[in-house]
Amino acid sequence: MGAVHAKSLDPLPMHGRDLGVNPDDMIEVPEPEHAAKQEILENKDVVVQHVNIQGLGRTKEDLLGHEISDVFHAKNLIDVMKKAHMARQKLLRLGIFKEVEVLIDTSEGAGALPNGLDVIFEVTEVKRLTGSYNTMVGNNEGSMVLGVKLPNMLGRAEKMTFQFSYGTKETSYGLSFFKPQPGCFERNLVLNLYKVTGQFPWSSLKETDRGLSAELNFPVGRSSHTVKWEGVWRELGCLARSASFAVREESGHSLKSALSHSMSVDSRNSAIFPNRGALLRINQELAGYTGGDASFLKEDFELQFNKHLFLDSVLSASLWGGMLYPLGGHSSCIADRFYLGGPTSVRGFGMYSIGPQSEGDYLGGEAYWAGGLHLYTPLPFRPGKGGFGDLFRTHFFLNAGNLCNLNYGEGPKAHLQKLAECLRWSYGAGVVLRLGNIARLELNYCVPMGVQSGDRICDGVQFGAGIRFL
Amino acid sequence: MSLAAEAFVSQIAAVEPWPENATLYQPLKDDQILLSDCASSLAVQTYLRMCGLPVQVACKANAEYMSPSGKVPFVHVGNQVVSELGPIVQFTKAKGHSLSDGLDDVQRAEMKAYMELVHNMLLTAELYVQWCDDSTAAEISRPRYSSPYSWPLNHILAYQKQWDVRRKMKAIGWGGKCLEQVYEDVSQCCQALSQRLGTQPYFFNKQYVTFLSHSHAVRSLPNKASAELTNPRVQIIIARTLSELVHHIVLPARAIIYPQGQDDRLGVSIKLS
């Protein structure tokens, strides 16, 4: 809970430290027993008169008013402690303080009420500049990653981060500026400038993106929304001389200028092993109306339900889907299409190796859906219970999905029929490990079914690591 | 190409016959293609036609990036992709079609020398005039090169190409040359070719024409695209010194490439003295 110091309201013994307080000024007669003292603390009405923040350097005070305003509404001492604790959490989540200590004291000075309290937050600001340097070694390549962060740049919790990665195969960088609205941290603006390179061996494609984006995040009720504009200069090329001609035809430069909106409602109690709750995420992107070459409308959604069953096991059902509609008569670009398959989506198939392909290179598709049904249970015989063993789960899964190109001239019934035919599905069991609160590792034994010609399967043991799993 | 790659390509090439749907890719004809690319493309088309190999021409805005070597034109034959004249000639040779079979070793060496002369002199001069001459670059090359792309990508790609070509010119020693010197070099090259041709109908025996040189000559003559060249001196030089060349090569070449008289590019007739 951190350091919370509370000086008691009870008067000190007469022969103790001399506070210069006349015993007749006491509001009530103190009880000598400890148990009775507690009772008094809980029932006693108090008024919070002052809330101070000490230790501010470059932080502007108007930023913090909203975070600490709730403390003024506390009615008794326990309430004060709870609200002070919550205010402390709010101050820490701004990311501008290294340490926050709360001190609750009786009011002093002129105008001090007898039941008045002062709450003082003693803060230590983070340094102006923090840097990090890492070396990474990957598949036949090594790189040096340099990170620089300027937290609380202008005093109102703005943050500027810069990351630069210089490697044997590629160079990439990213510059990001984050500005929250003073008084409402969840409403914020993020500006990004980046260059990233990606290699996609399943399509024999390499892609270099140089872009900038501006996004606005804001909550509406229980949902959080993001509105973003992104301008990207994409350069596509063949990864090997043996790439198929369909991929070779997509090589070259294009410019995508897109507006996107995304809405997310998350009532799960955890991102990785939720016991209950649901997640709904809907994302749409419109490209072409703000300039650029690429012109399309893209929709995709993600749905997940979790239900706690008997004996610590959880049943989880998820559904993903998406559609890409090219506008203006152009055909879609390989970099915009959807991909399916692999340890993070339909297990039992190779990475992104489902759907339309040409000479072994997967081209992606314009419409897809994927569903999964999972049963998570603790490890059998629960080794390491209460500690390390809680990071693991066994899971039994059933995955299904399809990826194809739709003929947009036909009606919705024809689309549904096309998505339903040639269904790929798989089942199996495995062990899942949680990494922090973001990622998970899986080791599964999979049996793929409904395999179409052209799909690449990975039956037997499959390993997967990632953030977003079906 | 490395020796191993060459051997590999020849082996694969030798197996299959020339298919019906072989396609040659070049940048967009009306708006995008530049003089040097057009000349190279014409050279390949003429060669294939003289060998009797059918090829369709497809125009794509990203042809330069599709090509495995980064240069146009390239041909897609079966499931092989081969770019530039030299490798294409070797590729067709591996399939058993060749125009230089009747030549002896001395003639073949001479032919190679003249081809190198044309390639190094005329092609490099074309690139120089297109990209290193500021007015040509600003008025013709950059707008044409970047015409398929939208703002601001068009400016970025055009300037990137210009820097690349200028860097290459510096590397081969042409960076210090001025336009007059380039015209001098072109003039000398044309004179050498003209002398070699003399009054014969072809450079080397009947079957072998240095199609490369005539394709450059054809392209350098006034037409819709190059009539916009700000300095028409290049055309005059070539037209004057290549009078024989024009008579014996250009006109028959036009007949080969455009058998139905579809060539609508020559807007001005040439007066030859």
Side-chain angles (χ1 to χ4, degrees):
Chain A
M1 250 186 69
V4 176
H5 307 286
K7 282 195 187 170
S8 78
L9 277 178
D10 298 335
L12 292 160
M14 285 301 119
H15 55 268
R17 191 163 64 165
D18 184 14
L19 286 173
V21 174
N22 200 325
D24 295 332
D25 289 344
M26 288 301 127
I27 292 171
E28 46 175 39
V29 179
E31 303 281 335
E33 292 87 0
H34 185 70
K37 272 190 203 169
Q38 253 189 323
E39 200 190 319
I40 289 166
L41 281 176
E42 275 169 14
N43 295 337
K44 195 164 163 132
D45 277 344
V46 298
V47 171
V48 178
Q49 287 196 283
H50 302 116
V51 179
N52 291 327
I53 304 187
Q54 289 176 359
L56 292 181
R58 64 181 187 275
T59 313
K60 305 279 186 287
E61 281 152 18
D62 55 5
L63 172 73
L64 308 169
H66 180 82
E67 319 294 342
I68 56 175
S69 62
D70 210 26
V71 181
F72 283 104
H73 302 136
K75 290 287 168 255
N76 58 55
L77 185 61
I78 298 296
D79 211 15
V80 168
M81 286 169 69
K82 276 196 210 153
K83 290 207 154 71
H85 173 65
M86 272 168 34
R88 179 180 172 276
Q89 299 288 81
K90 280 194 192 174
L91 287 174
L92 281 175
R93 81 150 165 32
L94 292 177
I96 57 181
F97 298 128
K98 211 160 34 184
E99 193 43 73
V100 178
E101 289 194 0
V102 183
L103 188 70
I104 306 178
D105 198 357
T106 49
S107 300
E108 282 166 25
L113 294 174
N115 64 344
L117 287 184
D118 282 349
V119 182
I120 302 164
F121 292 94
E122 284 169 4
V123 300
T124 327
E125 283 181 346
V126 291
K127 285 198 273 239
R128 260 188 202 274
L129 180 75
T130 52
S132 69
Y133 173 81
N134 304 316
T135 27
M136 291 201 315
V137 177
N139 257 348
N140 294 331
E141 61 164 319
S143 60
M144 169 188 102
V145 183
L146 183 73
V148 173
K149 188 156 83 161
L150 284 87
N152 200 13
M153 226 172 56
L154 303 168
R156 290 196 171 82
E158 300 92 354
K159 186 167 64 171
M160 175 103 90
T161 45
F162 178 65
Q163 186 161 321
F164 177 73
S165 158
Y166 181 74
T168 49
K169 274 196 186 163
E170 60 212 29
T171 307
S172 61
Y173 53 77
L175 179 73
S176 167
F177 176 71
F178 168 83
K179 173 156 176 61
Q181 182 185 6
C184 182
F185 191 72
E186 282 72 26
R187 218 174 281 151
N188 51 58
L189 172 74
V190 184
L191 301 173
N192 278 319
L193 176 71
Y194 59 89
K195 174 197 165 195
V196 289
T197 330
Q199 297 194 344
F200 309 119
W202 47 83
S203 304
S204 295
L205 187 75
K206 69 172 190 260
E207 180 177 343
T208 303
D209 285 351
R210 298 171 181 87
L212 43 86
S213 74
E215 79 183 59
L216 196 65
N217 300 304
F218 53 91
V220 173
R222 289 200 348 193
S223 61
S224 70
H225 293 244
T226 303
V227 174
K228 179 159 103 161
W229 172 83
E230 189 177 24
V232 191
W233 164 22
R234 294 187 299 211
E235 186 181 339
L236 296 171
C238 296
L239 200 54
R241 218 177 180 286
S242 55
S244 68
F245 200 72
V247 171
R248 197 173 273 286
E249 277 183 318
E250 305 258 11
S251 311
H253 298 258
S254 67
L255 188 68
K256 177 180 93 157
S257 164
L259 284 169
S260 69
H261 167 252
S262 136
M263 178 199 87
S264 149
V265 182
D266 192 352
S267 66
R268 302 174 301 176
N269 62 334
S270 158
I272 301 293
F273 289 143
N275 280 337
R276 60 176 190 281
L279 166 71
L280 171 67
R281 202 185 337 248
I282 299 182
N283 184 46
Q284 48 240 6
E285 187 176 352
L286 177 68
Y289 283 86
T290 45
D293 303 317
S295 186
F296 59 80
L297 175 66
K298 191 171 177 181
E299 301 267 352
D300 66 281
F301 72 91
E302 181 181 338
L303 195 60
Q304 190 187 90
F305 288 111
N306 300 287
K307 187 163 166 64
H308 185 226
L309 298 177
F310 56 92
L311 290 179
D312 280 346
S313 55
V314 176
L315 185 69
S316 172
S318 52
L319 181 66
W320 292 355
M323 199 161 89
L324 172 71
Y325 183 61
L327 300 169
H330 305 150
S331 58
S332 56
C333 174
I334 197 172
D336 296 320
R337 292 187 213 131
F338 298 104
Y339 293 84
L340 189 68
T344 56
S345 58
V346 181
R347 297 168 179 82
F349 289 83
M351 188 75 184
Y352 294 145
S353 303
I354 287 179
Q357 53 96 25
S358 159
E359 297 170 40
D361 294 333
Y362 292 90
L363 308 173
E366 289 172 1
Y368 85 105
W369 69 272
L373 196 65
H374 297 253
L375 180 68
Y376 293 98
T377 61
L379 290 176
F381 309 116
R382 300 192 186 224
K385 182 177 178 176
F388 193 60
D390 283 346
L391 294 174
F392 289 87
R393 293 276 190 279
T394 41
H395 80 135
F396 304 90
F397 64 86
L398 177 68
N399 289 153
N402 194 10
L403 176 77
C404 58
N405 289 315
L406 296 178
N407 184 357
Y408 288 109
E410 302 162 0
K413 218 169 177 185
H415 297 333
L416 284 175
Q417 205 177 22
K418 189 128 192 242
L419 282 170
E421 66 189 14
C422 304
L423 177 74
R424 283 91 163 165
W425 60 283
S426 69
Y427 62 90
V431 175
V432 187
L433 166 68
R434 179 173 80 184
L435 289 179
N437 208 23
I438 316 171
R440 64 191 231 191
L441 299 178
E442 284 192 7
L443 190 65
N444 297 316
Y445 184 84
C446 320
V447 180
M449 311 280 285
V451 181
Q452 304 296 317
S453 71
D455 296 343
R456 191 154 51 217
I457 61 170
C458 180
D459 61 349
V461 177
Q462 190 179 38
F463 175 74
I467 298 176
R468 189 170 163 255
F469 282 80
L470 178 65
Chain B
M1 278 207 282
S2 71
L3 284 173
E6 272 178 36
F8 181 71
V9 168
S10 339
Q11 230 179 352
I12 300 284
V15 173
E16 297 154 357
W18 190 269
E20 283 302 313
N21 62 346
T23 321
L24 176 134
Y25 288 88
Q26 64 173 33
L28 301 174
K29 210 178 346 188
D30 292 325
D31 299 314
Q32 192 192 16
I33 197 167
L34 293 173
L35 200 59
S36 47
D37 295 335
C38 203
S40 311
S41 174
L42 267 181
V44 173
Q45 282 178 56
T46 322
Y47 175 75
L48 290 175
R49 230 169 273 253
M50 293 190 78
C51 289
L53 300 169
V55 69
Q56 299 157 7
V57 176
C59 294
K60 288 245 168 175
N62 60 339
E64 191 178 341
Y65 305 108
M66 280 166 71
S67 158
S69 70
K71 297 209 169 56
V72 288
F74 68 93
V75 288
H76 180 218
V77 177
N79 55 356
Q80 293 273 307
V81 178
V82 193
S83 66
E84 291 183 81
L85 184 64
I88 291 176
V89 169
Q90 277 183 315
F91 182 73
T92 51
K93 203 165 172 180
K95 285 205 189 288
H97 307 271
S98 173
L99 287 184
S100 60
D101 286 338
L103 301 177
D104 62 19
D105 286 336
V106 173
Q107 283 184 315
R108 202 165 292 173
E110 225 186 315
M111 173 197 83
K112 282 212 172 93
Y114 273 102
M115 280 191 70
E116 282 301 307
L117 174 72
V118 170
H119 187 87
N120 286 341
M121 197 53 69
L122 286 184
L123 190 64
T124 319
E126 277 171 11
L127 279 175
Y128 184 93
V129 171
Q130 275 168 223
W131 293 105
C132 297
D133 176 35
D134 288 324
S135 52
T136 317
E139 284 174 43
I140 299 172
S141 310
R142 284 204 303 264
R144 280 184 74 88
Y145 183 78
S146 60
S147 56
Y149 303 104
S150 51
W151 184 91
L153 193 58
N154 51 0
H155 294 304
I156 297 173
L157 291 178
Y159 277 104
Q160 207 176 43
K161 176 79 179 173
Q162 186 173 323
W163 290 332
D164 270 339
V165 174
R166 287 194 180 180
R167 219 179 34 225
K168 228 180 282 186
M169 291 289 132
K170 270 206 194 84
I172 60 170
W174 279 54
K177 292 199 184 187
C178 70
L179 213 51
E180 295 302 319
Q181 277 178 302
V182 173
Y183 291 150
E184 241 338 281
D185 290 337
V186 170
S187 181
Q188 279 179 353
C189 173
C190 294
Q191 270 177 348
L193 288 172
S194 205
Q195 267 179 348
R196 178 65 182 84
L197 185 59
T199 49
Q200 296 166 34
Y202 300 100
F203 279 99
F204 300 96
N205 70 24
K206 217 168 188 181
Q207 262 136 348
Y208 204 88
V209 177
T210 316
F211 37 84
L212 197 59
S213 65
H214 81 240
S215 76
H216 282 274
V218 166
R219 292 308 302 150
S220 303
L221 291 166
N223 63 24
K224 285 211 191 86
S226 65
E228 298 149 8
L229 266 181
T230 46
N231 197 325
R233 274 199 62 190
V234 182
Q235 293 103 299
I236 299 171
I237 289 170
I238 292 182
R240 276 212 195 112
T241 54
L242 282 182
S243 49
E244 293 297 327
L245 202 68
V246 169
H247 252 308
H248 288 281
I249 292 191
V250 171
L251 300 171
R254 278 182 61 210
I256 289 172
I257 299 173
Y258 303 102
Q260 270 89 40
Q262 299 143 344
D263 182 19
D264 57 355
R265 294 163 305 120
L266 285 181
V268 178
S269 62
I270 315 133
K271 280 219 178 77
L272 296 171
S273 50

